[in-house]
Amino acid sequence: MDSSSDEEEGCTFVHVLSDKYNPDNYPYGQGVMVLSSPPGSPVKDHLFLPSTLVLDKRGISKAGNGSYIAAFCAHVVGLDLSQNQLSDWEEICTIVSNVPHLDFLNLSMNPLKGTVLDPTTADIFCHIRKLVLINTHVTWDTVHALTQRMPELAELFLSLNGYGSVSESQITCPTLHLLHLTDNQLRDWTEVRKLGAMYPCLSSLVLANNHVTSVDDAGETFPNLRSINLNNSALSKWEDIERLSFFPKLVEIKAQGIPLLQPYSTDQRHSLLLAQLPSVMVLNSSVVSEGDRESAERFFIRHYQDCPHQQLPQRYHVLVSKYGRLAPLAEVDLTPRSTLVTVRCGDRVEAVSLHLQQTVIDLKKQLKGLLQLPHNGIRLFHIDPEMSSVLGPEELRCGSRALHSYRIREGNEILVVPKVKARCSSSGL
C-alpha cells in the first residue's frame, strides 16, 4: 500500500492515524504505546498510540487496509470518529472488526442517513459498552440491529436524530442503563413507553428538548429508572409531575423550562415541584436536604389551602395530615416610614417629621435650613427616653447610614450640638 493508493481510496482511517500519531506530531507519555510499522505499511517508522484514539474532524471516509489497523490498534479501547465523512457501514465495520478490545465508539455527525447496516455484520460491535450516534440520523432498524448484538452495551446516545416516534423491537437490550435522546421530536408518552419495554434495566433517561406533552405512566414500564431529564419539554399539568412520584426507583429529576412552571418565581417552582415528589433526592441538579423538603412542603400547603376543595391535589391532603393546616405567613412591611421627633438645639425646640430612609447627612442638611446652622458644623445625638437612662444618647456619627437603622421611633429626641473649634493659645508665643 502506498500514498497513491491512499489518495485513490480517499481519506482513510489508516492515513489519518499515521499522520496524527507519528512522533513528529504526537508526544510520548503515560499510557502511550510505541508501535513499529509492519512491513509494507505507509508508516515509515513507528507510532505513538494511546489507548483512546481521537480522530474527529479529519475527513475520514474509508477504513484503509484492515491488516494495518489490526497491527496498530490491538490495544485500543476507545475510538472517537465524530464529524468525519463516514457514510458506509462496511467501512465502519472494517475499522471496528480490527480493533478487538474496543469499548467506546463515537460516530457522531457522520453522514449515515439512509445507510443500511447488514444485521449479520453487527456482531463485530459486541464488545462496545458506550456507543455515540448523535446527529447521524440512523434509523431505528439500524439501532435495533446494533443493540440486539451488543451484549455489553451500557450507554447509548441518540440525540439530534430527528426521531418523532420510536420503532419498537421485540428483542430487548437488558444491559442498557443510560439512554440520551436529547433534541429529538418526541411528543407522545406512548412512544416513550416503548423505550421502557425495549430497555427494561434503564436507570437514566435523558429526554431534554423534546416536546413531550404528558407523562401517562405510573412507572410500571420503567421499574428501574432512577433519573429522568425532562428539561424544556411541553409538560403543562401538575398531574404529570404527580405521576412521576409513582416511579418506584426514581430519585433524580430535571424539569426546568416547562410551561407548567412559567407563572411562578424560581423559588416557587422549586418548592411546588419538590413537594410533589417525596422520593426525589436530587431536583434540577440540587441535592435535597431535609430542611429544604420541609420548607417546600409547608409552602405547598399554604399555596393551596385557600383553593376550593375540589381543586385540591391529592398531595395536599397527604401533607396536611403530616403538618396540619398552617396559618398564613405574616406579611412584614419593611418599608421605611416617617416618624415625628423632637429636635432640640440649645433653648430651641422643634417638632420635625423625619423620613427614616434618609441618611444622617441628609438630616444634617435638613436641619441646616431649619436651624440656620452649617450642616458640617454640628453633631447629632439620638435620645430614646425609654433607654437613655441605661445607654445614654447615641451619636449619629456615620453620614451615609440610614436613620431607620438607629431605631428612631415617634417621640424620640434629636439633640443638635454645634461643634466648637479648638483654638491655639498664644500666651506661650
Side-chain angles (χ1 to χ4, degrees), residues 275 296-306 309 312-327:
E297 290 175 347
R298 288 179 175 275
F299 174 84
F300 187 90
I301 292 174
R302 291 188 172 100
H303 179 76
Y304 280 104
Q305 64 185 4
D306 292 330
H309 186 271
L312 293 174
Q314 180 59 35
R315 184 64 178 159
Y316 172 83
H317 301 293
V318 173
L319 293 177
V320 166
S321 68
K322 179 179 180 180
Y323 297 103
R325 288 185 58 85
L326 303 178

Side-chain angles (χ1 to χ4, degrees), residues 109-374:
M109 300 180 71
N110 278 278
L112 294 171
K113 184 176 183 179
T115 61
V116 178
L117 171 65
D118 183 352
T120 62
T121 65
D123 290 327
I124 64 171
F125 297 87
C126 63
H127 296 301
I128 294 175
R129 298 185 71 255
K130 184 175 181 179
L131 179 61
V132 187
L133 297 170
I134 296 172
N135 201 15
T136 56
H137 293 272
V138 293
T139 65
W140 279 108
D141 287 342
T142 297
V143 172
H144 298 330
L146 288 166
T147 58
Q148 290 168 12
R149 293 164 178 82
M150 299 174 71
E152 299 179 32
L153 183 65
E155 300 180 16
L156 179 60
F157 296 77
L158 298 174
S159 303
L160 289 164
N161 282 330
Y163 299 141
S165 62
V166 176
S167 175
E168 194 167 8
S169 170
Q170 298 304 313
I171 302 177
T172 66
C173 179
T175 58
L176 192 69
H177 294 291
L178 170 65
L179 177 60
H180 271 254
L181 280 164
T182 305
D183 287 294
N184 279 287
Q185 298 170 20
L186 298 174
R187 294 178 178 272
D188 198 323
W189 190 262
T190 58
E191 302 300 321
V192 178
R193 189 182 287 116
K194 296 175 185 177
L195 302 172
M198 292 190 294
Y199 311 122
C201 293
L202 198 65
S203 62
S204 183
L205 176 59
V206 182
L207 293 170
N209 302 334
N210 279 268
H211 301 286
V212 177
T213 57
S214 65
V215 178
D216 299 323
D217 202 317
E220 62 273 6
T221 53
F222 291 96
N224 294 294
L225 195 67
R226 295 181 60 83
S227 173
I228 190 168
N229 186 334
L230 292 164
N231 283 349
N232 301 314
S233 62
L235 299 181
S236 59
K237 297 179 180 179
W238 284 112
E239 289 82 359
D240 298 318
I241 303 300
E242 186 177 6
R243 291 188 189 105
L244 290 174
S245 69
F246 294 110
F247 283 51
K249 294 186 179 180
L250 192 61
V251 294
E252 180 176 3
I253 292 176
K254 292 182 179 178
Q256 295 178 306
I258 61 177
L260 174 65
L261 300 177
Q262 286 181 355
Y264 304 102
S265 69
T266 300
D267 289 342
Q268 290 173 335
R269 293 170 187 173
H270 178 79
S271 294
L272 292 172
L273 274 178
L274 181 55
Q276 287 267 29
L277 302 166
S279 300
V280 165
M281 301 172 63
V282 181
L283 179 60
N284 292 331
S285 300
S286 296
V287 176
V288 177
S289 67
E290 286 303 315
D292 189 20
R293 184 178 303 281
E294 180 175 344
S295 296
E297 290 175 347
R298 288 179 175 275
F299 174 84
F300 187 90
I301 292 174
R302 291 188 172 100
H303 179 76
Y304 280 104
Q305 64 185 4
D306 292 330
C307 292
H309 186 271
Q310 64 272 20
Q311 295 180 15
L312 293 174
Q314 180 59 35
R315 184 64 178 159
Y316 172 83
H317 301 293
V318 173
L319 293 177
V320 166
S321 68
K322 179 179 180 180
Y323 297 103
R325 288 185 58 85
L326 303 178
L329 292 175
E331 295 186 6
V332 180
D333 184 6
L334 299 177
T335 305
R337 296 179 295 272
S338 299
T339 191
L340 190 65
V341 299
T342 299
V343 174
R344 185 183 302 276
C345 181
D347 296 331
R348 187 171 178 182
V349 179
E350 298 281 351
V352 177
S353 178
L354 297 187
H355 295 286
L356 296 179
Q357 71 270 26
Q358 68 181 357
T359 63
V360 172
I361 194 68
D362 292 331
L363 176 58
K364 287 184 176 181
K365 291 177 180 178
Q366 178 184 354
L367 297 180
K368 172 188 175 182
L370 178 66
L371 303 174
Q372 299 299 308
L373 295 171

Side-chain angles (χ1 to χ4, degrees), residues 57-82:
K57 304 177 184 178
R58 297 280 173 158
I60 299 171
S61 59
K62 296 184 179 296
N65 191 309
S67 62
Y68 297 145
I69 300 174
F72 288 121
C73 297
H75 71 295
V76 171
V77 296
L79 188 53
D80 182 356
L81 294 173
S82 59

